[in-house]
Amino acid sequence: MPAETAIALHDVSFRYPGAQEDTLRNVNLHIHAGDFVTVVGGNGSAKTTMCKTFNGLVPHYWTGDFAGVAEVCGIDTYTSSVAELSARVGYVYQDFMNQLVRPTVRDEISFSPINFGLADYAERTAEALEMLRITELSDRYVWQLSGGQGHLTALASVLAMRPEIIVVDEPVAELDPARALEIYERLEVLNEQHGITVVTIEHHAEFIAQFAKSVVLMHQGSPVWHLPVQDAVNRSAELAEHGIPAPQVVQAAQALGHDQAPRTVAEAAHLLGSVPSPDTTAPAIEGVDSRQPVVAQVDDVHHSYRTVKSALQPVLNGVDLQIRRGDRVALVGGNGSGKTTLLKLLAGIMVPRFGDVMLDGINTRSKSAAKLSDQVAYLWQQPQQMFLKESIEKDIALYPQERNIPQWQHIVEHTLEQVRLSEFSDRDGRTLSGGQQRRATVAIGLAMQPKLLLLDEPTASLDIDSRDAVITMLDDLAHVINSAVVATHDMSLVAEWANRVIVLQNGRVAADLHPRALFDDQDLLAQAHLVPSQITQLGQAIGLTPPPLSVEEFVARFQAARPALDLNSHTVGAPRI
C-alpha cells in the first residue's frame, strides 16, 4: 500500500448476523494521509458501519460475514486487533456516552495514555482539556455531564492519544452551536498543523462545505463517489437526492441565478454584494399573545444536583416563565445551561428544590409524573428510551389504552397516519431509522393528547431530510398541540419553527424574545454560545436588518432591496430538487 494512503478498502462487504442482505457491498475506497474527509448519506446508508472497519470494530467486535481487505496505516485490520489499531485510530462514537468508562472527566481522558504506558499522560490530559475548553469539567463525574459535555469528553479522550487518524461520528451532535463550530475548527487545526487524517460522519452541509477537503457519498452500503469538496458542493442536486440538501448559502445563490456554489458565508456575501441601507424590507417582530391562557408557569425555581461528595451543583437559579396556549418555544443555551433539567421539571419528572412549577393550575409537587401525563408529555432526548413494547403501535397505544380513553384504537391509527408511520406499525421502534424513531416518539406524545408537549433535542443526529420532516411535522400538528417547548441546539429549527425563544444562561432566563430579535443581538448570541444559521449570517453580512430566518425570506427581501437585478426567472429552492 502506498505510504501516502491512510485507509484503503478493497472489495469490502459485511453482513450483520441474522441480516437478509449485506450492509456493506463491495466497498472500494482510498483515503490519503492528511485528508479531511466527510462521509455523507441518508440514514441507513451504512456510513457508520463503513467507518467502523477503520478501527477494527467491524469485524472483531461487530461480528458477521466479512469479505475483502481493509488496511489502515498499512495494517490489515482482519489480522490485527481493535487494541492494536486504537493506538493509531481514535474513534468518537455516535452513542459517545457509552464509551466513557472512568469516574471523572480527568480519569477518562488519561485512561488510554496510562494504559499504553505513556509517561507524559498528565501533559496529554491537560492538553486535551485545554484544547476543548473543558478544563473546568476535569473533576466532574461523567454521569453529571450534559450530553454536549459528554461528547467533548469523549473527543478529548481520543485527542489525548494523538492518533494518526481520528474518526468522529456526528461531531456536532448535542453540542451548542458555538462549541460545534469550535470542534470543527479544532479538527481543522489537528489536520493542517499536526497532519492527522480526519474522517467525520456528518449531516450538516455547512460544516462539510467549510471544513472538508473531500467528501464520500454513501448509498445502500457503498460509495457513490469520493470527490474534492468543491466538486461535491457543485453537485448540490445529486446530494439533495440522497437526503443532503445544499448549504443555505448555496441554495440562496442558486435561487438568485448564480451558477457558482459558495462554500462559506463570506464567499456568498462577496458573490451577492450588499443591499441598500436602510433596509426597508424587514418584517415586523411579533410579540407574545398575552391574551392566551397560561398552560404552564414556573415561579422562582431553583434546582441543583447532589454530587458524590454531597455538595450541591446548581443548575437552575431563580427561573421565572410562563408558557401560553399557542406558544412554540425554543429553549436554547450552552451545554450544561439547564435545558433538559427545566424540561423535566415542567413534566413533573422532577420537582424543584425551591420554587413551584404549575401545570394547568396543578402544582407538580402535588401529583406524580404519571398523573401529570394527562397534562404534559415529555419526549426523551434518546428515542430508544421511549420504546417499551414490541411494536410502535403498542407503544403509542400504551397511554390511551391504559387510561381507557374512548375510541383509543382510532386515536392510535390516526396518530400513526399523522406521523406517516402506518406501514411500520408492527415494527419494534428500536429497529427504525433515526428519523422514523423521532416521528414514533412524537406519535407516543400525541396519543397522550397533552396540553403541553416537551421535546428534548428532537432533531439531534438526524440527516437533514429527517430533520426537516420533524420540523414540518411539528408545523402540521400545530392544530393538535396546544403548546410545545423544544430544547435544542438546532438554530434552523429555532428560526423556522419557534415563535418564541427562551435563552438559558448561568441557570437563569437571560432572554425571552422572538427568534428574529435573538439573531439580531450579537452580544446575547456570544454570551449564550449561539451561532445563527447560515442564511441569517448571510443576511447580516449583506445588510438585511433584522436578519432573515429562512432561504425563502432571504431571497424575497434581497430581490425587493435590489429590484434592478433581473431575478424574476429564478425560484427559491432550486438546489433541493
Side-chain angles (χ1 to χ4, degrees), residues 191-222:
N191 174 251
E192 294 187 352
Q193 297 185 12
H194 299 279
I196 295 174
T197 304
V198 176
V199 180
T200 64
I201 301 173
E202 187 57 82
H203 293 133
H204 296 80
E206 63 271 24
F207 290 115
I208 299 167
Q210 184 173 351
F211 292 100
K213 293 180 180 176
S214 69
V215 180
V216 176
L217 173 62
M218 293 289 292
H219 181 62
Q220 295 184 345
S222 58

Side-chain angles (χ1 to χ4, degrees), residues 132-137 146 148-149 152 155 171-172 174-186 207 334-336 529-531:
L132 298 180
R133 292 195 302 121
I134 57 172
T135 302
E136 73 280 3
L137 300 178
S146 69
Q149 291 167 337
L152 291 167
L155 180 57
V172 304
E174 301 187 35
L175 290 181
D176 64 62
R179 287 280 174 90
L181 180 61
E182 185 177 353
I183 287 293
Y184 262 100
E185 290 173 343
R186 180 51 56 187
F207 290 115
N335 293 118
H529 302 289
L530 302 176
V531 178

Side-chain angles (χ1 to χ4, degrees), residues 338-397:
K339 299 185 296 297
T340 295
T341 297
L342 181 55
L343 286 188
K344 289 180 177 179
L345 291 171
L346 283 167
I349 295 171
M350 303 186 304
V351 294
R353 290 188 179 273
F354 302 99
D356 294 297
V357 177
M358 308 293 291
L359 283 174
D360 201 27
I362 302 169
N363 194 312
T364 59
R365 297 182 187 278
S366 67
K367 285 190 176 183
S368 67
K371 294 289 186 182
L372 290 170
S373 61
D374 292 334
Q375 278 76 37
V376 61
Y378 174 72
L379 308 187
W380 294 79
Q381 188 168 351
Q382 303 298 333
Q384 297 88 342
Q385 292 179 267
M386 299 192 66
F387 302 131
L388 306 176
K389 299 292 186 178
E390 62 270 25
S391 71
I392 59 170
E393 182 176 29
K394 291 183 178 180
D395 280 319
I396 296 167

Side-chain angles (χ1 to χ4, degrees), residues 275-313:
V275 298
S277 182
D279 174 20
T280 60
T281 66
I285 296 178
E286 301 174 2
V288 175
D289 187 353
S290 59
R291 299 169 298 177
Q292 294 294 329
V294 175
V295 175
Q297 183 158 327
V298 178
D299 292 321
D300 193 27
V301 161
H302 298 250
H303 197 71
S304 55
Y305 296 107
R306 194 169 294 280
T307 68
V308 171
K309 298 180 181 178
S310 294
L312 289 175
Q313 180 69 41

